[in-house]
Amino acid sequence: MAAAGAGPGAGVEALAASVLDFVSGQQDGRGAEVAAGVKDGRWTVLQLVEALGFCLENTDPRMRGRGIQLLSQVLLQCYSLLQEKEVLHLVLFYESRLQDHHLVIPSVLQGLRALSMCEVLSPGLAVSVLKAIFQEVHVQSLMQLDRHTVYSIITNFMSTREEGPFVEELFEVTSCYFPVDFTPPPNDPHGIQREDLILSLRAVLASTPQFAEFLLPLLIEKLDSELQSAKLDSLQTLTACCAIYGQKELQEFLPSLWSSLRREVFQTASEKIEAECLAALHALSACLSRSVLSSDSEDLLDSFLSSILQDCRHHLCEPDMKLVWPSAKLLQAAAGASLRTYHRITRSVLPLLLEQYTKHTQSSQRRTILEMLLGFLELQQKWGHVEEDESTLLSLQDPVCSVVFSALTDPSVQLQLVGIKALTVLGSLQGFLSSSGLELVVDHLIRLALHEEDSQSSEAAMEAAGSLAPTYPEVFSGRMVPRLEEELQSEREESYHNHRSLQQRCLQALAAVSTHTSIVRDTVPVLLQHLQKVQKGTEARNTEDMVSVCQSLHRVALQCQQDVEGCWYFHQTVVPCLLAMAVQAAMQESTHTLPGKALLEEEVLAAMIPVISAATTHLSPELAAQSVSHVVPLFLNGEVSFLPQNSFPCSFQPFGDGECLEAQRRLVALLMAFVCSLPRDVAIPQQEWLLRELLALSCSCNCPFTATTAAKCFAGLVNKHPAGQQLDEILQLAVNRMEPGLAEGPHRTQALTLLLWVTKALVLRYHPLSSCLTDKLLGLLGDTELGPTAADGFSLLMAESPDVLHKGCHADVRIMFRQRFFTDNVPKLVQGFHGAGPDVKANYLKGLSHVLNHLPKPVLVTELPTLLSLLLEALSCSDRVVQLSTLSCLHPLLLEAPQIMSLHVDTLVTKFLNLTSSPTMAVRIAALRCAHALTSLPTTVLLPYKGRVIRALAKPLDDKKRLVRKEAVAARGEWFLLGSPGR
């Protein structure tokens, strides 16, 4: 095996030279050369051992260690080349070296790790190696790297060799670290956390059922300790073990485990420990449920559940009900483990609970019992359909329904609410309620929804109806909807307040129950019919009634969005109807016919916008294209043929000139709701014409509502418009219209509104023109007339818009646009502030505070040092909007950046205390919250101010507003406790 061109002697000499260089500590790289030589056949492992002879017999442990280090390094790369006999001799050699000096042991372990990976390792050698390690090495005292080597050897043997007899020894060397008590050292480069070690050790301890006889007594012992962390770790480890244990491993320890778990739940003051105990009990029950039982073995699950029932069941009957909840939780934890455990426990517990409900007469006691019953009913949901042959619940159908129905008629609202929850669960159990029972359920829900005085019960009943309706659409369509329609149309003699309250509830209930397409087909016509009826009335309350109907329609629209059929039905039924009613009202206004005027009120149009928007956002591109082909020609060409009842007294010209068309122009708000909610890939017919009309209307209309909605509609379309020449031309046209409008004339405010919305549309999509428009806005901060409005416009730019330009309506919104806007414009705001005259400085502060208020807090914290002095100056501004905005900006910074804020504590204390006397209630509240948040700064910084702050906070304790007094009490209390022990 000598190298080509050289004799064997020369090869051995070269090996000896390399070995000498390595062991003398001169050249570590020689180790890799030797390994390569063995790999390519120049030298054998035997030759290497012979060459190492002089240092392996050396009296200096360091020299011996270097020799074994070289041998181990070579073996780690060449173990697959070894013959069976070579492995045997090497194992014997390494085992003998385990008795050597402690400096040698790490290299010995590395060699054994290499040998543990050899496929030709003779039977029995794995046991021999482990025995030698356990006898000769104190693993716990080794360095972390060396302990890892031992565990690698064990892992290799476990995955490739026969079962070793050293289970207890292996358990001992790992369990000695349980429970983990570790605090990461400061500046730890490895980033190892205590939780990482806990999870890793748990994975080892729970890796094999063979550890059960040693681990379970350890867990029981730790459960009895006073250390909360040890209890938690033990419980979580027990839960993990149950995933791989069987009946055999648990049998001996079940009584002790149950005793410990029961004690902790009955006595613990920690919710966390209680939750982990219940999880462990659930896991134990599930483990026993999984065990395959032979015919002659004891049914451990049944005896285990019998113990639980024996110890918990009687507490459910105690008059003082002291241990009712702990017992119920334990029973439910076990019952939820499997269908078998559920049947076993409910067979014993449910009749008892029903009996107790009847026995107790107080509503509070009945509520507790019904809540426990509810817990068991909810567990039944896990198993789906109620099986007739096994279900205890089905055999108790009549008494269960009787108890739940009685709760629904109880005077106690809290008992009613639990009853409604139970009713919802019963209804979700397919096959449980009979047809007559279902009708009774619906009748109860109608009564509660419409006639129960307490709004909590009413709303809960509506939610329950909405939850159950998809399961029983025929029953709700055939029984509930007609009743609601009848109540809505009734003209019974009642007080105005009662009649209005009933109508409101009917509208809410119709919306709540519209959770299935077949029901929507019944409820939507009722809601639209009522809207038309209200439109024809002349009473002053029509505006409020119309808004209520629109709110109900909006809820239905949201509930339809995920169902393609329901979404299209709602859209093609509701949108044309709303447009027809609005067009009719606008034409009546134009021809001086009074009925229907309420429909044109801003509040009603504003309530119709989200209905149309929600009905449009989730349309498929094909259906959206079909709809847009009707709606846009309606506004541009007056094409009304697709509208229901389309016999109108005059033509529809919302973009026409003339005072008589003012009412028609207001309906651009509805056009905005529709076109700005379309998916981006839907082509809008005659879009360039539409954009020009919207632009003209936004700049020239005297009605602020119409001008604003036209500007928003223009901006919404521009935001989605594909980049290119057409977009550039329309934007240039907009700039050409805005600039003279901003400079002078009667429409400066309209021009500013258009500027704001177009700027927002372009900022969101990172359009290059956005910086130019933002600079125009910054320039307006120095304008005495438009400056305050321009400053408030920065809030509009940064905030989420409710009706256009948000992701929900498919707008082009780039991530981190706020951070980019901040980076580009805050320096300009700061510069402008310093150069501004005293009469407009507040505008720059207001604009800055709006930007900072909408910035993600982590970003704001990093910029805080450069901006804090300006924020403190803003607190001295007399503008209450600036004060409020700045206070709301500073409050989270006090909590998240206490070290930086501490540098300005004197100024902060003074400013906050001054503002607690502000004439504006909202400012007083915000200042008190900031004074409260100051207590999160380091105590040593705050103590000099303690007396002064406590005295100053005495005054707002007598404030005439309750909310101010409440904040003052909270803030002053924290300052009183400042510096006390334990804080």
Side-chain angles (χ1 to χ4, degrees):
M1 288 200 183
V12 173
E13 288 172 6
L15 173 62
S18 296
V19 167
L20 185 60
D21 286 344
F22 183 90
V23 297
S24 62
Q26 294 176 359
Q27 296 186 36
D28 282 355
R30 293 293 192 190
E33 292 178 11
V34 173
V38 173
K39 263 187 175 181
D40 63 22
R42 275 184 289 158
W43 307 307
T44 66
V45 173
L46 179 59
Q47 288 174 320
L48 173 60
V49 173
E50 288 173 349
L52 284 168
F54 76 95
C55 69
L56 296 179
E57 296 169 0
N58 197 294
T59 55
D60 183 359
R62 290 180 181 81
M63 182 67 78
R64 295 198 302 278
R66 288 290 286 179
I68 295 175
Q69 181 185 348
L70 176 59
L71 178 59
S72 298
Q73 188 174 330
V74 171
L75 291 179
L76 282 167
Q77 296 188 48
C78 306
Y79 63 86
S80 60
L81 304 175
L82 296 174
Q83 303 297 317
E84 184 175 351
K85 198 168 184 180
E86 291 176 310
V87 173
L88 172 62
H89 289 300
L90 285 166
V91 166
L92 295 173
F93 165 73
Y94 273 105
E95 284 181 356
S96 69
R97 290 293 172 169
L98 285 171
Q99 301 174 11
D100 206 331
H101 194 277
H102 68 89
L103 291 174
V104 179
I105 299 303
S107 297
V108 175
L109 292 173
Q110 289 292 346
L112 288 171
R113 181 164 75 91
L115 295 171
S116 72
M117 295 185 281
C118 292
E119 292 183 8
V120 294
L121 191 74
S122 302
L125 280 185
V127 174
S128 176
V129 169
L130 289 176
K131 186 174 183 180
I133 291 174
F134 290 144
Q135 285 180 346
E136 306 298 342
V137 182
H138 190 253
V139 178
Q140 293 94 314
S141 64
L142 294 175
M143 298 289 285
Q144 183 186 34
L145 181 64
D146 302 323
R147 295 199 305 272
H148 183 266
T149 304
V150 173
Y151 297 143
S152 298
I153 295 168
I154 296 168
T155 303
N156 291 338
F157 285 153
M158 287 178 71
S159 59
T160 61
R161 302 291 145 191
E162 73 275 7
E163 294 289 330
F166 300 103
V167 173
E168 185 172 5
E169 287 85 349
L170 179 57
F171 176 76
E172 288 298 328
V173 299
T174 51
S175 65
C176 60
Y177 300 105
F178 182 86
V180 169
D181 182 19
F182 171 76
T183 303
N187 305 317
D188 177 21
H190 306 292
I192 297 173
Q193 299 297 314
R194 179 171 177 268
E195 190 63 24
D196 299 325
L197 298 178
I198 289 173
L199 293 175
S200 299
L201 179 59
R202 185 177 302 152
V204 173
L205 296 177
S207 63
T208 170
Q210 293 186 65
F211 280 169
E213 62 178 304
F214 313 109
L215 178 59
L216 290 175
L218 176 63
L219 297 181
I220 292 167
E221 175 193 333
K222 297 300 180 185
L223 273 174
D224 293 339
S225 75
E226 295 300 317
L227 199 62
Q228 299 288 296
S229 60
K231 287 180 189 284
L232 282 172
D233 205 351
S234 300
L235 290 165
Q236 290 164 350
T237 304
L238 174 60
T239 300
C241 290
C242 287
I244 63 158
Y245 285 6
Q247 175 173 292
K248 177 167 66 75
E249 287 77 26
L250 293 172
Q251 182 168 9
E252 179 187 346
F253 305 100
L254 281 174
S256 297
L257 286 169
W258 164 238
S259 177
S260 297
L261 294 174
R262 179 189 62 206
R263 181 193 68 242
E264 289 301 322
V265 174
F266 279 164
Q267 297 178 4
T268 188
S270 165
E271 289 184 12
K272 205 167 187 181
I273 287 180
E274 179 188 87
E276 293 297 344
C277 281
L278 297 175
L281 179 59
H282 178 95
L284 279 170
S285 303
C287 178
L288 294 174
S289 299
R290 284 194 309 270
S291 296
V292 180
L293 305 177
S294 58
S295 57
D296 58 343
S297 68
E298 180 189 356
D299 187 347
L300 270 188
L301 176 64
D302 192 65
S303 60
F304 183 59
L305 295 178
S306 295
S307 299
I308 297 173
L309 285 164
Q310 181 180 339
D311 291 344
C312 295
R313 189 177 181 274
H314 65 95
H315 289 304
L316 304 181
C317 309
E318 291 172 353
D320 60 1
M321 304 183 84
K322 186 179 178 182
L323 291 174
V324 158
W325 270 119
S327 300
K329 288 176 181 178
L330 287 165
L331 289 165
Q332 287 168 6
S338 68
L339 191 56
R340 188 176 171 206
T341 60
Y342 180 77
H343 288 320
R344 175 71 175 85
I345 288 178
T346 53
R347 191 164 61 241
S348 173
V349 172
L350 289 190
L352 183 65
L353 290 176
L354 294 169
E355 178 189 320
Q356 290 299 304
Y357 185 92
T358 308
K359 184 180 293 185
H360 290 283
T361 55
Q362 292 182 16
S363 295
S364 59
Q365 294 172 323
R366 286 189 157 192
R367 190 185 94 195
T368 300
I369 295 164
L370 187 56
E371 282 176 334
M372 288 189 286
L373 181 64
L374 174 62
F376 287 103
L377 296 179
E378 288 171 336
L379 288 176
Q380 176 71 62
Q381 288 178 302
K382 288 175 63 175
W383 320 117
H385 193 80
V386 182
E387 300 292 339
E388 291 188 22
D389 54 343
E390 290 187 62
S391 175
T392 305
L393 194 55
L394 205 61
S395 67
L396 297 170
Q397 183 181 35
D398 289 340
V400 167
C401 287
S402 175
V403 161
V404 173
F405 291 155
S406 77
L408 300 178
T409 56
D410 194 273
S412 165
V413 173
Q414 297 307 313
L415 181 53
Q416 283 181 22
L417 292 173
V418 182
I420 292 169
K421 283 184 186 175
L423 192 70
T424 308
V425 175
L426 290 180
S428 70
L429 301 176
Q430 295 252 6
F432 182 78
L433 292 173
S434 63
S435 57
S436 59
L438 274 172
E439 291 178 354
L440 195 54
V441 165
V442 173
D443 291 344
H444 275 294
L445 292 176
I446 294 171
R447 177 184 58 78
L448 289 165
L450 300 187
H451 304 294
E452 176 54 49
E453 286 185 18
D454 190 274
S455 61
Q456 287 185 86
S457 293
S458 174
E459 289 166 11
M462 292 182 198
E463 293 299 324
S467 175
L468 293 175
T471 310
Y472 310 102
E474 299 84 4
V475 180
F476 280 88
S477 274
R479 197 169 185 89
M480 189 167 191
V481 176
R483 287 276 299 278
L484 293 173
E485 182 180 10
E486 181 185 331
E487 290 282 6
L488 195 60
Q489 294 175 350
S490 67
E491 298 291 346
R492 64 167 70 112
E493 290 297 322
E494 286 186 276
S495 69
Y496 166 70
H497 174 76
N498 289 342
H499 179 70
R500 178 161 171 66
S501 174
L502 179 61
Q503 290 216 328
Q504 287 270 44
R505 286 193 175 187
C506 284
L507 293 172
Q508 292 167 359
L510 282 166
V513 80
S514 302
T515 50
H516 188 275
T517 302
S518 65
I519 302 174
V520 171
R521 290 179 180 276
D522 291 329
T523 56
V524 164
V526 175
L527 290 168
L528 291 175
Q529 184 182 358
H530 186 67
L531 186 62
Q532 291 164 338
K533 175 185 172 186
V534 175
Q535 183 194 13
K536 292 171 184 173
T538 55
E539 295 92 339
R541 69 173 187 268
N542 285 2
T543 299
E544 294 175 37
D545 289 344
M546 285 182 172
V547 169
S548 296
V549 180
C550 289
Q551 288 169 342
S552 290
L553 285 169
H554 181 230
R555 179 171 179 176
V556 178
L558 293 174
Q559 289 166 182
C560 288
Q561 284 182 338
Q562 303 308 318
D563 176 68
V564 175
E565 182 190 347
C567 185
W568 178 235
Y569 167 77
F570 185 92
H571 182 89
Q572 66 175 349
T573 305
V574 174
V575 173
C577 182
L578 293 183
L579 289 171
M581 292 171 65
V583 170
Q584 181 78 35
M587 290 182 177
Q588 287 173 344
E589 179 78 3
S590 304
T591 54
H592 307 292
T593 314
L594 284 177
K597 185 176 180 180
L599 197 63
L600 303 175
E601 296 287 340
E602 285 184 26
E603 300 96 311
V604 178
L605 289 173
M608 294 171 82
I609 288 170
V611 179
I612 294 174
S613 180
T616 307
T617 53
H618 283 63
L619 287 180
S620 67
E622 298 77 24
L623 295 176
Q626 183 179 327
S627 188
V628 78
S629 67
H630 295 303
V631 176
V632 172
L634 167 68
F635 282 84
L636 288 178
N637 309 103
E639 180 53 66
V640 297
S641 58
F642 82 103
L643 298 178
Q645 303 168 352
N646 56 18
S647 55
F648 301 110
C650 61
S651 60
F652 183 53
Q653 300 172 289
F655 294 113
D657 294 324
E659 274 189 43
C660 65
L661 298 176
E662 176 56 40
Q664 295 188 19
R665 285 196 282 270
R666 294 168 75 81
L667 302 193
V668 170
L670 305 184
L671 173 68
M672 175 198 76
F674 174 75
V675 293
C676 291
S677 301
L678 291 167
R680 256 188 270 174
D681 53 355
V682 174
I684 296 174
Q686 302 169 299
Q687 184 170 10
E688 306 311 310
W689 178 19
L690 177 60
L691 284 166
R692 289 170 185 269
E693 294 287 6
L694 289 166
L695 183 58
L697 187 60
S698 65
C699 290
S700 60
C701 184
N702 291 320
C703 170
F705 176 79
T706 303
T708 300
T709 51
K712 289 163 74 172
C713 189
F714 179 85
L717 292 174
V718 160
N719 173 263
K720 298 180 188 178
H721 199 294
Q725 185 180 351
Q726 281 187 325
L727 177 60
D728 295 341
E729 289 175 358
I730 198 69
L731 287 175
Q732 188 57 53
L733 188 64
V735 171
N736 294 342
R737 291 295 295 264
M738 281 188 284
E739 284 183 337
L742 288 168
E744 59 182 1
H747 296 117
R748 292 190 79 200
T749 303
Q750 288 90 323
L752 175 57
T753 301
L754 178 63
L755 172 63
L756 285 168
W757 282 103
V758 174
T759 303
K760 182 178 179 73
L762 300 183
V763 164
L764 293 178
R765 63 180 283 180
Y766 290 177
H767 192 279
L769 185 61
S770 62
S771 58
C772 173
L773 297 183
T774 308
D775 287 342
K776 290 183 188 298
L777 188 60
L778 286 163
L780 288 170
L781 293 174
D783 187 293
T784 51
E785 180 189 352
L786 293 181
T789 309
D792 284 331
F794 282 87
S795 176
L796 184 151
L797 294 180
M798 299 292 281
E800 183 87 358
S801 176
D803 43 13
V804 295
L805 294 177
H806 60 86
K807 286 185 177 179
C809 63
H810 313 290
D812 186 353
V813 181
R814 304 297 174 89
I815 60 170
M816 297 177 72
F817 78 89
R818 291 183 176 89
Q819 288 91 316
R820 180 169 173 168
F821 187 88
F822 170 88
T823 304
D824 291 345
N825 296 292
V826 164
K828 297 176 185 176
L829 277 166
V830 174
Q831 184 181 358
F833 168 79
H834 289 303
D839 55 336
V840 293
K841 271 187 179 290
N843 297 337
Y844 291 90
L845 288 176
K846 189 188 291 188
L848 177 66
S849 60
H850 283 315
V851 174
L852 298 182
N853 248 318
H854 291 94
L855 199 66
K857 290 300 175 280
V859 181
L860 183 53
V861 168
T862 60
E863 300 291 339
L864 185 56
T866 58
L867 294 170
L868 189 53
S869 59
L870 205 57
L871 286 171
L872 295 174
E873 194 166 341
L875 289 178
S876 302
C877 178
S878 58
D879 189 308
R880 68 177 183 83
V881 176
V882 175
Q883 292 173 348
L884 266 176
S885 190
T886 308
L887 288 168
S888 63
C889 189
L890 287 171
H891 183 268
L893 295 175
L894 290 164
L895 306 175
E896 294 172 32
Q899 297 304 324
I900 300 173
M901 302 298 278
S902 297
L903 303 174
H904 301 269
V905 66
D906 190 71
T907 308
L908 290 167
V909 168
T910 303
K911 302 272 189 188
F912 293 159
L913 293 181
N914 286 343
L915 289 174
T916 58
S917 302
S918 166
T920 306
M921 182 183 81
V923 173
R924 298 200 300 277
I925 289 174
L928 286 165
R929 284 179 180 161
C930 285
H932 188 166
L934 274 173
T935 58
S936 63
L937 303 187
T939 303
T940 51
V941 174
L942 296 176
L943 280 176
Y945 303 92
K946 181 175 179 179
R948 173 186 165 192
V949 173
I950 289 172
R951 286 192 299 274
L953 292 181
K955 183 182 176 185
L957 291 176
D958 296 323
D959 197 280
K960 59 185 177 182
K961 296 292 185 180
R962 183 184 62 82
L963 291 175
V964 177
R965 297 195 300 272
K966 178 184 172 187
E967 294 295 340
V969 168
R972 199 163 186 255
E974 281 299 314
W975 276 90
F976 260 119
L977 293 170
L978 195 72
S980 56
R983 294 188 67 81

